[in-house]
């Protein structure tokens, strides 16, 4: 699996998002994130909380963790109460953010802009069967729950989706699901990366917005949920 990811990273000029960064720019940011946490002396076995809105930043953080940066906690929302609950369930001291957040007491926020891109090698060293991401459910089926994912879990499933649905370089993915959701993470962050496809940077949620984006951008894949399909129908 890491051989596949390494090969994908060599295609540095490949665009990831529409009017967004290339794979090479994302890899450079990932190396910068890894180096920034090394400079801070952050323990590699102590997770950091990831509060990012941009899909490219999320992909960079995932790659950085595979390359030796700390593991990641992905909260389902960034409201102060949610972050406090996440902190109680899985303690952390650092938040990496590309948006304004109110950190729990005793934690520090580092902006993604502080992670300067680096051309240092991005060698993937995290064991593929060891958890590197902790996610929280949104609570739609009861009290929010925490569960872990390994690189083999996430990237393996994304590779399966690419093969099963025959997603490839000619495709453009439009998502109505945000990247914080496991479905959005798989379908609008990891899937376009492993399939060498592109993704629309913004998340479309309203029916007219979705239809206008489909027509204007020429998307070939719609990643959505039943409520949005019903609204579109």
């Amino acid at each position: 699996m890491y051989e596949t990811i390494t090969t994908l990273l060599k295609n540095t000029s490949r665009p990831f998002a529409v009017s967004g960064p290339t794979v090479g720019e994302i890899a450079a940011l990932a190396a910068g994130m890894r180096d920034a946490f090394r400079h801070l002396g952050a323990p590699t076995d102590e997770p950091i909380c990831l509060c990012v809105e941009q899909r490219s930043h999320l992909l960079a953080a995932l790659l950085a963790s595979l390359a030796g940066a700390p593991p990641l906690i992905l909260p389902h929302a960034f409201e102060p109460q949610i972050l406090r609950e996440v902190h109680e369930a899985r303690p952390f001291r650092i938040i990496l953010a590309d948006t304004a957040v109110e950190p729990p007491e005793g934690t520090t926020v580092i902006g993604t802009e502080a992670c300067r891109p680096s051309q240092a090698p991005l060698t993937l060293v995290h064991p593929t069967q060891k958890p590197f991401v902790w996610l929280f459910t949104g609570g739609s089926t009861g009290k929010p729950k925490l569960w872990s994912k390994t690189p083999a879990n996430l990237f393996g499933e994304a590779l399966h989706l690419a093969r099963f649905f025959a997603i490839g370089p000619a495709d453009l993915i439009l998502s109505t699901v945000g990247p914080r959701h496991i479905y959005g993470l798989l379908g609008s962050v990891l899937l376009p990366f492993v399939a060498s496809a592109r993704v629309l940077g913004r998340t479309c949620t309203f029916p007219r917005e979705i239809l206008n984006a489909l027509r204007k951008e020429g998307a070939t894949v719609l990643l959505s949920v039943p409520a949005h399909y019903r609204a579109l129908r």
Side-chain angles (χ1 to χ4, degrees), residues 148-160:
S148 63
K149 292 289 185 180
T150 68
N153 290 151
L154 289 182
F155 284 89
E157 186 165 350
L159 286 165
H160 170 72

Side-chain angles (χ1 to χ4, degrees), residues 130-228:
K130 180 180 179 181
F132 81 124
V133 170
W134 282 267
L135 302 106
F136 281 79
T137 65
S140 58
T141 56
K143 185 177 180 180
K145 297 179 181 179
L146 170 71
W147 82 104
S148 63
K149 292 289 185 180
T150 68
N153 290 151
L154 289 182
F155 284 89
E157 186 165 350
L159 286 165
H160 170 72
L161 290 172
R163 289 190 295 264
F164 186 84
F165 291 105
I167 309 298
D171 285 305
L172 170 59
I173 300 170
L174 185 155
S175 178
T176 72
V177 187
R180 293 179 236 165
H181 191 286
I182 180 61
Y183 185 39
L185 171 63
L186 284 168
S188 70
V189 178
L190 295 180
L191 176 58
F193 171 64
V194 302
S196 293
R198 292 179 302 144
V199 64
L200 194 65
R202 70 182 187 276
T203 300
C204 301
T205 54
F206 299 104
R208 187 171 297 278
E209 179 188 20
I210 296 168
L211 292 172
N212 287 341
L214 285 170
R215 297 190 185 104
K216 181 180 178 181
E217 303 294 346
T220 59
V221 178
L222 174 62
L223 181 79
S224 195
V225 291
H228 289 152

Side-chain angles (χ1 to χ4, degrees), residues 2-230:
Y2 278 176
E3 290 181 1
T4 299
I5 296 174
T6 300
T7 299
L8 290 166
L9 290 172
K10 291 179 180 178
N11 192 1
T12 56
S13 61
R14 182 77 196 177
F16 172 72
V18 175
S19 301
T22 64
V23 168
E25 290 168 332
I26 291 173
L29 178 58
M33 288 177 175
R34 176 202 58 197
D35 295 346
F37 284 110
R38 285 179 177 174
H39 181 72
L40 287 170
T44 57
D45 59 348
E46 182 178 298
I48 63 170
C49 183
L50 191 62
C51 294
V52 298
E53 300 280 4
Q54 294 190 36
R55 289 177 166 84
S56 58
H57 290 168
L58 180 48
L59 177 57
L62 292 168
L63 293 171
S65 184
L66 296 185
L72 306 170
I73 298 171
L74 273 59
H76 59 281
F78 302 156
E79 286 78 10
Q81 178 60 34
I82 298 296
L83 292 180
R84 286 194 294 269
E85 292 175 358
V86 169
H87 184 258
E88 291 173 1
R90 184 77 186 186
F92 56 85
R93 289 185 290 176
I94 299 174
I95 298 174
L96 180 63
D98 66 3
T99 186
V101 295
E102 183 179 319
E105 185 177 354
T107 65
T108 301
V109 178
I110 297 175
T112 52
E113 70 278 0
C115 302
R116 301 183 63 180
S118 169
Q119 298 305 315
L122 196 67
T123 305
L124 309 182
V125 296
H126 189 94
T128 59
Q129 300 297 334
K130 180 180 179 181
F132 81 124
V133 170
W134 282 267
L135 302 106
F136 281 79
T137 65
S140 58
T141 56
K143 185 177 180 180
K145 297 179 181 179
L146 170 71
W147 82 104
S148 63
K149 292 289 185 180
T150 68
N153 290 151
L154 289 182
F155 284 89
E157 186 165 350
L159 286 165
H160 170 72
L161 290 172
R163 289 190 295 264
F164 186 84
F165 291 105
I167 309 298
D171 285 305
L172 170 59
I173 300 170
L174 185 155
S175 178
T176 72
V177 187
R180 293 179 236 165
H181 191 286
I182 180 61
Y183 185 39
L185 171 63
L186 284 168
S188 70
V189 178
L190 295 180
L191 176 58
F193 171 64
V194 302
S196 293
R198 292 179 302 144
V199 64
L200 194 65
R202 70 182 187 276
T203 300
C204 301
T205 54
F206 299 104
R208 187 171 297 278
E209 179 188 20
I210 296 168
L211 292 172
N212 287 341
L214 285 170
R215 297 190 185 104
K216 181 180 178 181
E217 303 294 346
T220 59
V221 178
L222 174 62
L223 181 79
S224 195
V225 291
H228 289 152
Y229 289 129
R230 286 194 295 269

